[in-house]
Coordinates of all heavy atoms in Angstrom, one line a residue:
M58 N 0.8 -1.2 0.0 CA 0.0 0.0 0.0 C 0.9 1.2 0.0 O 1.8 1.4 0.8 CB -0.9 0.0 1.2 CG -1.9 -1.1 1.2 SD -3.5 -0.6 1.8 CE -3.1 -0.1 3.5
A59 N 0.6 2.1 -0.9 CA 1.4 3.4 -1.0 C 1.0 4.4 0.1 O -0.2 4.6 0.4 CB 1.2 4.0 -2.3
Q60 N 2.1 4.9 0.7 CA 1.8 6.0 1.7 C 2.4 7.3 1.1 O 3.6 7.5 1.2 CB 2.4 5.7 3.0 CG 1.7 4.6 3.7 CD 2.2 4.4 5.1 OE1 3.3 4.6 5.4 NE2 1.3 4.0 6.0
P61 N 1.6 8.1 0.5 CA 2.2 9.3 -0.2 C 2.9 10.3 0.7 O 3.9 10.9 0.3 CB 1.0 9.9 -0.9 CG -0.2 9.4 -0.2 CD 0.2 8.1 0.4
F62 N 2.4 10.4 1.9 CA 3.0 11.4 2.8 C 3.4 10.8 4.1 O 2.5 10.3 4.9 CB 2.1 12.6 3.0 CG 1.7 13.3 1.8 CD1 0.4 13.2 1.3 CD2 2.6 14.0 1.0 CE1 0.0 13.9 0.1 CE2 2.2 14.6 -0.2 CZ 0.9 14.5 -0.6
E63 N 4.7 10.7 4.3 CA 5.2 10.1 5.5 C 5.5 11.2 6.5 O 6.0 12.2 6.2 CB 6.4 9.3 5.2 CG 6.9 8.4 6.3 CD 8.1 7.6 5.9 OE1 8.4 7.6 4.7 OE2 8.7 6.9 6.7
T64 N 5.1 11.0 7.8 CA 5.5 12.0 8.8 C 6.5 11.4 9.7 O 6.4 10.3 10.2 CB 4.2 12.3 9.6 OG1 3.2 12.9 8.8 CG2 4.6 13.3 10.7
I65 N 7.6 12.2 9.9 CA 8.7 11.7 10.7 C 8.9 12.7 11.9 O 8.9 13.9 11.7 CB 10.0 11.7 9.9 CG1 9.8 10.7 8.7 CG2 11.2 11.3 10.7 CD1 10.7 10.9 7.6
E66 N 8.9 12.2 13.1 CA 9.1 13.0 14.3 C 10.5 13.2 14.5 O 11.3 12.3 14.6 CB 8.4 12.4 15.5 CG 6.9 12.3 15.3 CD 6.2 11.7 16.6 OE1 7.0 11.2 17.4 OE2 5.0 11.8 16.6
V67 N 10.9 14.5 14.8 CA 12.3 14.9 15.0 C 12.3 15.8 16.3 O 11.3 16.4 16.7 CB 12.9 15.5 13.8 CG1 13.0 14.6 12.6 CG2 12.2 16.8 13.5
T68 N 13.5 15.9 16.9 CA 13.7 16.7 18.0 C 14.6 17.9 17.8 O 14.9 18.6 18.7 CB 14.2 15.9 19.2 OG1 15.4 15.2 18.8 CG2 13.2 14.8 19.6
S69 N 15.0 18.0 16.5 CA 16.0 19.1 16.2 C 15.3 20.0 15.2 O 14.5 19.6 14.3 CB 17.2 18.5 15.6 OG 18.0 19.5 15.0
H70 N 15.6 21.3 15.3 CA 15.0 22.3 14.3 C 15.6 22.1 12.9 O 15.1 22.6 12.0 CB 15.3 23.7 14.8 CG 14.3 24.1 15.9 ND1 13.1 24.8 15.6 CD2 14.3 23.9 17.2 CE1 12.5 25.0 16.7 NE2 13.1 24.5 17.7
T71 N 16.8 21.5 12.8 CA 17.4 21.2 11.5 C 17.4 19.8 11.2 O 17.9 19.0 12.0 CB 18.8 21.8 11.5 OG1 18.7 23.2 11.8 CG2 19.3 21.7 10.1
V72 N 16.8 19.4 10.1 CA 16.8 18.0 9.7 C 17.5 17.8 8.4 O 17.4 18.7 7.5 CB 15.4 17.4 9.7 CG1 14.8 17.5 11.1 CG2 14.5 18.1 8.7
A73 N 18.0 16.6 8.2 CA 18.6 16.3 6.9 C 17.7 15.2 6.2 O 17.3 14.3 6.9 CB 20.0 15.8 7.0
C74 N 17.3 15.4 5.0 CA 16.4 14.5 4.3 C 17.1 14.0 3.0 O 17.6 14.9 2.2 CB 15.1 15.1 4.0 SG 13.9 13.9 3.3
D75 N 17.1 12.7 2.8 CA 17.6 12.2 1.5 C 16.5 11.3 0.8 O 16.8 10.7 -0.2 CB 18.9 11.5 1.6 CG 18.8 10.3 2.5 OD1 17.7 9.9 2.9 OD2 19.9 9.7 2.7
G76 N 15.3 11.3 1.4 CA 14.2 10.6 0.8 C 14.3 9.1 1.1 O 13.3 8.4 0.8
G77 N 15.4 8.6 1.7 CA 15.5 7.2 1.9 C 15.7 6.4 0.7 O 16.0 6.9 -0.4
D78 N 15.5 5.1 0.8 CA 15.6 4.2 -0.3 C 14.4 4.3 -1.2 O 13.3 4.7 -0.8 CB 15.9 2.8 0.1 CG 17.2 2.7 0.9 OD1 18.1 3.4 0.6 OD2 17.2 1.9 1.9
G79 N 14.5 3.8 -2.4 CA 13.4 3.7 -3.3 C 13.2 4.9 -4.2 O 14.0 5.8 -4.3
P80 N 12.0 5.1 -4.8 CA 11.7 6.1 -5.7 C 11.7 7.5 -5.2 O 11.8 8.5 -5.9 CB 10.3 5.7 -6.3 CG 9.7 4.9 -5.2 CD 10.8 4.1 -4.6
L81 N 11.6 7.6 -3.9 CA 11.6 9.0 -3.3 C 12.9 9.5 -2.9 O 13.1 10.6 -2.4 CB 10.7 9.0 -2.0 CG 9.2 8.8 -2.3 CD1 8.4 8.9 -1.0 CD2 8.7 9.9 -3.2
G82 N 14.0 8.7 -3.2 CA 15.3 9.1 -2.8 C 15.7 10.3 -3.6 O 15.4 10.5 -4.8
H83 N 16.5 11.2 -3.0 CA 17.0 12.4 -3.6 C 18.3 12.9 -2.9 O 18.6 12.4 -1.8 CB 15.9 13.5 -3.5 CG 15.5 13.9 -2.1 ND1 16.3 14.6 -1.3 CD2 14.4 13.6 -1.4 CE1 15.6 14.8 -0.1 NE2 14.5 14.1 -0.2
P84 N 19.0 13.8 -3.5 CA 20.2 14.3 -2.9 C 19.9 14.9 -1.5 O 18.8 15.5 -1.3 CB 20.7 15.4 -3.8 CG 20.1 15.0 -5.1 CD 18.8 14.4 -4.8
R85 N 20.8 14.7 -0.6 CA 20.5 15.1 0.8 C 20.3 16.7 0.9 O 21.1 17.4 0.4 CB 21.6 14.7 1.7 CG 21.4 15.2 3.2 CD 22.4 14.6 4.1 NE 22.2 13.1 4.2 CZ 22.8 12.4 5.2 NH1 23.5 13.0 6.1 NH2 22.5 11.1 5.3
V86 N 19.3 17.1 1.5 CA 19.0 18.5 1.7 C 18.8 18.7 3.2 O 18.3 17.8 3.9 CB 17.8 19.0 0.9 CG1 18.1 19.0 -0.6 CG2 16.6 18.2 1.3
F87 N 19.1 19.9 3.7 CA 18.8 20.3 5.1 C 17.6 21.2 5.1 O 17.5 22.2 4.4 CB 20.1 21.0 5.7 CG 21.2 20.0 5.9 CD1 22.1 19.8 4.9 CD2 21.3 19.3 7.0 CE1 23.2 18.9 5.1 CE2 22.3 18.4 7.2 CZ 23.3 18.2 6.2
L88 N 16.7 20.8 6.0 CA 15.5 21.6 6.2 C 15.4 22.2 7.5 O 15.8 21.6 8.5 CB 14.3 20.6 6.0 CG 14.3 19.8 4.7 CD1 13.2 18.8 4.7 CD2 14.1 20.7 3.5
E89 N 14.9 23.5 7.6 CA 14.8 24.2 8.8 C 13.4 24.2 9.3 O 12.5 24.5 8.5 CB 15.3 25.6 8.6 CG 15.4 26.4 9.9 CD 16.8 26.4 10.5 OE1 17.7 25.9 9.8 OE2 17.0 26.9 11.6
I90 N 13.1 23.8 10.5 CA 11.7 23.7 11.0 C 11.4 25.1 11.7 O 12.1 25.4 12.6 CB 11.5 22.6 12.0 CG1 11.8 21.2 11.3 CG2 10.1 22.6 12.5 CD1 11.7 20.0 12.2
P91 N 10.4 25.8 11.2 CA 10.0 27.1 11.8 C 9.5 26.9 13.2 O 8.8 25.9 13.5 CB 8.9 27.6 10.8 CG 9.0 26.8 9.6 CD 9.6 25.5 10.0
E92 N 9.7 27.9 14.0 CA 9.3 27.9 15.4 C 7.7 27.9 15.5 O 7.2 27.3 16.4 CB 9.8 29.1 16.1 CG 11.3 29.0 16.4 CD 11.6 28.3 17.7 OE1 10.6 27.8 18.4 OE2 12.8 28.2 18.1
D93 N 7.1 28.6 14.5 CA 5.7 28.8 14.7 C 4.8 27.6 14.2 O 3.8 27.3 14.8 CB 5.2 30.0 13.9 CG 5.7 30.0 12.5 OD1 6.5 29.1 12.1 OD2 5.3 30.9 11.7
T94 N 5.3 26.9 13.2 CA 4.5 25.7 12.7 C 5.0 24.4 13.2 O 4.2 23.4 13.2 CB 4.6 25.7 11.1 OG1 6.0 25.5 10.8 CG2 4.1 27.0 10.5
H95 N 6.2 24.3 13.7 CA 6.8 23.1 14.2 C 6.8 21.9 13.2 O 6.9 20.8 13.6 CB 6.0 22.7 15.5 CG 6.4 23.4 16.7 ND1 6.1 23.1 18.0 CD2 7.2 24.6 16.8 CE1 6.7 23.9 18.8 NE2 7.3 24.9 18.1
K96 N 6.7 22.3 11.9 CA 6.8 21.2 11.0 C 7.3 21.8 9.6 O 7.1 23.0 9.3 CB 5.5 20.4 10.8 CG 4.4 21.2 10.3 CD 3.1 20.4 10.2 CE 1.9 21.2 9.7 NZ 0.7 20.4 9.6
V97 N 7.9 20.9 8.8 CA 8.3 21.3 7.5 C 8.1 20.1 6.5 O 8.2 19.0 6.9 CB 9.8 21.8 7.5 CG1 10.7 20.6 7.8 CG2 10.2 22.5 6.3
V98 N 7.8 20.5 5.3 CA 7.6 19.5 4.3 C 8.8 19.5 3.3 O 9.1 20.5 2.8 CB 6.3 19.7 3.5 CG1 6.1 18.6 2.4 CG2 5.1 19.6 4.5
C99 N 9.4 18.3 3.1 CA 10.5 18.2 2.2 C 10.0 18.5 0.8 O 9.0 17.9 0.3 CB 11.1 16.9 2.3 SG 12.5 16.7 1.1
P100 N 10.6 19.5 0.1 CA 10.1 19.8 -1.3 C 10.4 18.7 -2.3 O 9.8 18.7 -3.4 CB 10.9 21.1 -1.6 CG 12.1 21.0 -0.8 CD 11.7 20.3 0.5
Y101 N 11.3 17.8 -2.0 CA 11.7 16.7 -2.9 C 10.7 15.5 -2.8 O 10.2 15.0 -3.8 CB 13.1 16.2 -2.7 CG 14.1 17.2 -3.1 CD1 14.6 18.2 -2.2 CD2 14.6 17.2 -4.4 CE1 15.6 19.1 -2.6 CE2 15.6 18.1 -4.8 CZ 16.1 19.1 -3.9 OH 17.0 20.0 -4.3
C102 N 10.5 15.0 -1.6 CA 9.8 13.8 -1.4 C 8.5 13.9 -0.6 O 7.8 13.0 -0.4 CB 10.7 12.8 -0.7 SG 11.2 13.2 1.0
S103 N 8.2 15.2 -0.2 CA 6.9 15.5 0.5 C 6.7 14.8 1.8 O 5.7 14.7 2.3 CB 5.7 15.1 -0.4 OG 5.7 15.9 -1.6
R104 N 7.8 14.3 2.4 CA 7.8 13.9 3.7 C 7.6 15.1 4.7 O 8.1 16.1 4.4 CB 9.1 13.2 4.1 CG 9.1 11.7 3.7 CD 10.5 11.1 4.0 NE 10.5 9.7 3.8 CZ 11.6 9.0 3.9 NH1 12.8 9.5 4.1 NH2 11.5 7.7 3.7
T105 N 6.8 14.8 5.7 CA 6.6 15.9 6.7 C 7.5 15.6 7.9 O 7.4 14.5 8.5 CB 5.1 16.0 7.1 OG1 4.3 16.3 6.0 CG2 4.9 17.0 8.2
Y106 N 8.3 16.6 8.3 CA 9.1 16.5 9.5 C 8.4 17.3 10.6 O 8.2 18.5 10.4 CB 10.5 17.0 9.3 CG 11.3 16.0 8.5 CD1 11.3 16.0 7.1 CD2 12.0 14.9 9.1 CE1 12.0 15.1 6.3 CE2 12.7 14.0 8.3 CZ 12.7 14.1 7.0 OH 13.3 13.2 6.2
M107 N 8.0 16.7 11.7 CA 7.3 17.3 12.8 C 8.2 17.4 14.0 O 8.7 16.4 14.5 CB 6.0 16.6 13.1 CG 5.2 17.2 14.2 SD 3.5 16.5 14.2 CE 3.8 14.8 14.2
L108 N 8.3 18.6 14.5 CA 9.1 18.8 15.7 C 8.4 18.4 16.9 O 7.3 18.9 17.2 CB 9.5 20.3 15.8 CG 10.5 20.7 16.9 CD1 11.9 20.0 16.7 CD2 10.7 22.2 17.0
V109 N 9.0 17.5 17.7 CA 8.3 17.1 19.0 C 9.2 17.5 20.1 O 10.5 17.6 20.0 CB 8.1 15.6 19.0 CG1 7.1 15.2 17.9 CG2 9.4 14.8 18.8
D110 N 8.6 17.8 21.2 CA 9.4 18.2 22.4 C 9.8 17.0 23.2 O 9.0 16.3 23.7 CB 8.5 19.1 23.2 CG 9.3 19.8 24.4 OD1 10.5 19.6 24.5 OD2 8.6 20.5 25.2
E111 N 11.1 16.9 23.2 CA 11.7 15.7 24.0 C 11.7 16.0 25.5 O 11.9 15.1 26.3 CB 13.1 15.4 23.4 CG 13.5 14.0 23.8 CD 14.8 13.7 23.1 OE1 15.7 14.5 23.1 OE2 14.9 12.6 22.5
G112 N 11.7 17.3 25.8 CA 11.6 17.7 27.2 C 12.9 17.8 27.9 O 12.9 18.0 29.1
E113 N 14.0 17.6 27.2 CA 15.3 17.6 27.9 C 15.7 19.0 28.4 O 16.5 19.1 29.3 CB 16.4 17.0 27.0 CG 16.7 17.9 25.8 CD 17.8 17.2 25.0 OE1 17.7 16.0 24.7 OE2 18.8 17.9 24.6
D114 N 15.1 20.0 27.8 CA 15.4 21.4 28.2 C 14.4 21.9 29.2 O 14.3 23.1 29.4 CB 15.5 22.3 27.0 CG 16.7 21.9 26.2 OD1 17.7 21.4 26.7 OD2 16.7 22.2 24.9
D115 N 13.5 21.1 29.6 CA 12.3 21.5 30.4 C 12.5 21.3 31.9 O 11.6 21.5 32.6 CB 11.1 20.7 29.9 CG 9.8 21.4 30.3 OD1 9.9 22.7 30.5 OD2 8.8 20.7 30.4
Q116 N 13.7 21.0 32.3 CA 13.9 20.8 33.7 C 14.1 22.1 34.5 O 14.7 23.0 34.0 CB 15.1 19.9 34.0 CG 15.0 18.5 33.3 CD 16.1 17.6 33.7 OE1 17.0 18.0 34.4 NE2 16.1 16.4 33.2
A117 N 13.5 22.2 35.6 CA 13.5 23.4 36.4 C 15.0 23.6 37.0 O 15.7 22.6 37.3 CB 12.6 23.3 37.6
A118 N 15.3 24.8 36.9 CA 16.7 25.1 37.3 C 16.9 25.1 38.9 O 16.0 25.4 39.6 CB 17.1 26.5 36.9
Ligands
LIG384 ZN1 13.0 14.5 1.3

């Protein structure tokens, strides 16, 4: 079954995408995730990268 849009959860504002193996593969590009939307779509393979909060910076001082 084809999944046209894959969503990948990341914890970094900068992600590298190469489309993986198969027909969606493309030269590696770096994508910046905006603070306001918390997600970015790769212009090559249409994968969605979603920023998730890992919580490691959320500890009280
Ligand atoms: Zn891609």
